[in-house]
Amino acid sequence: MGRSRRTIPEELLLLALDPTTGTTAQPQSLDLGLAGAQLVELAMAGRIAPDGDRIAVVLPRPTGDPTLDSALELLRRRGSPVRAVNWIGGPRLGLRQTYLTHLERCGMVHAVAGQMCGVLPTTRYQATDTAISRGIRARLDNAIRTGVPPDPRTAALAALAHAVGLGKHLYPGNEGRSSRSRLRDLIRHDPMGGLVAHAVMDVQNGVAAQQSKRATAAAQAGPSAALRGPTAPAGAVSSSRQSTMARVGAR
């Protein structure tokens, strides 16, 4: 895969990166979005294809991108098509940091060491070439402003940006409400991007519902249960994922 253009995971991360503070917007949902963006990029490279609500490997040949090839190999090892919700909702420890490190190595960002509360070490990432980030943003702005159907890459990026909640980061306040609505509407212009974006949102909804159930159960059980810690059954998370998978399949 050539490096003349940024991959969708890289573009999504650059969109989320605040050029002033060096922090990333929506960090938790962004991790899900990066996993989903890998699927979209692999699909555009002809390595995987949607099979209903599942993802099937159709060409296991490496792309030349180490991070994408790692995801492709994991998909290949599954041996059978995997549901998008299952893949996106699986553990992706360090994925965001992997991409930040990659962007730093490419000279796109540079790390800035700091401290939180004067004690805890922190690292922020400042863009070294804001023109690239502005170009990515301009593609979204153009698709929103003109109403002309965007190219598949821009449509997929818009779908993922909406799914992870970047709309309020990119188009804040009441004045950005119509732009956020149009950003959401762009999801229909790329089937794979739409499938993945819906899966990202379903995973988030499933996690939120599970947390709400646990909070309600803890409140009803009283202080003594809080001291004992969480007692959710081991199958609770998988049951939630089965529910979200059913919703994806119904779309």
Side-chain angles (χ1 to χ4, degrees):
M1 176 179 295
R3 300 303 297 156
S4 59
R5 62 185 179 191
R6 304 259 65 85
T7 64
I8 293 176
E10 292 166 359
E11 291 190 333
L12 183 65
L13 183 51
L14 287 170
L15 275 180
L17 192 63
D18 190 301
T20 303
T21 65
T23 59
T24 51
Q26 304 296 112
Q28 293 182 337
S29 57
L30 181 61
D31 290 343
L32 300 176
L34 289 174
Q38 287 185 314
L39 293 180
V40 177
E41 190 67 46
L42 286 170
M44 289 186 174
R47 290 346 189 240
I48 64 175
D51 181 7
D53 68 332
R54 296 175 182 266
I55 304 298
V57 175
V58 295
L59 182 63
R61 188 178 67 207
T63 65
D65 182 305
T67 309
L68 290 175
D69 289 342
S70 176
L72 179 61
E73 177 61 15
L74 288 174
L75 286 166
R76 187 192 66 79
R77 289 179 184 175
R78 293 291 183 95
S80 60
V82 58
R83 284 189 169 90
V85 169
N86 272 6
W87 173 260
I88 292 169
R92 292 290 178 274
L93 296 177
L95 185 57
R96 183 169 16 120
Q97 185 58 51
T98 296
Y99 273 106
L100 284 169
T101 301
H102 170 72
L103 290 176
E104 182 182 20
R105 190 165 53 246
C106 293
M108 298 285 296
V109 302
H110 68 276
V112 180
Q115 288 184 329
M116 181 183 295
C117 302
V119 179
L120 299 176
T122 62
T123 302
R124 295 178 293 111
Y125 290 86
Q126 298 281 356
T128 55
D129 188 352
T130 56
I132 294 178
S133 297
R134 290 198 302 270
I136 296 169
R137 171 69 180 271
R139 283 163 43 210
L140 291 185
D141 291 345
N142 185 64
I144 287 172
R145 184 179 64 255
T146 65
V148 176
D151 62 273
R153 298 185 69 83
T154 301
L157 180 62
L160 287 162
H162 166 70
V164 303
L166 288 184
K168 292 183 178 180
H169 168 70
L170 299 171
Y171 308 104
N174 288 333
E175 64 275 16
R177 183 176 300 173
S178 61
S179 293
R180 293 195 298 270
S181 177
R182 294 191 192 103
L183 180 71
R184 180 195 62 219
D185 291 343
L186 292 177
I187 199 170
R188 70 181 186 274
H189 290 293
D190 181 63
M192 184 66 181
L195 168 67
V196 170
H198 282 302
V200 168
M201 290 185 284
D202 279 346
V203 171
Q204 292 181 84
N205 291 337
V207 170
Q210 189 63 34
Q211 290 175 340
S212 176
K213 288 180 181 178
R214 288 179 179 176
T216 301
Q220 292 174 344
S224 60
L227 292 175
R228 292 194 300 270
T231 57
V237 175
S238 61
S239 296
S240 176
R241 287 180 181 172
Q242 290 172 359
S243 175
T244 61
M245 285 188 286
R247 291 199 299 277
V248 173
R251 295 183 191 279

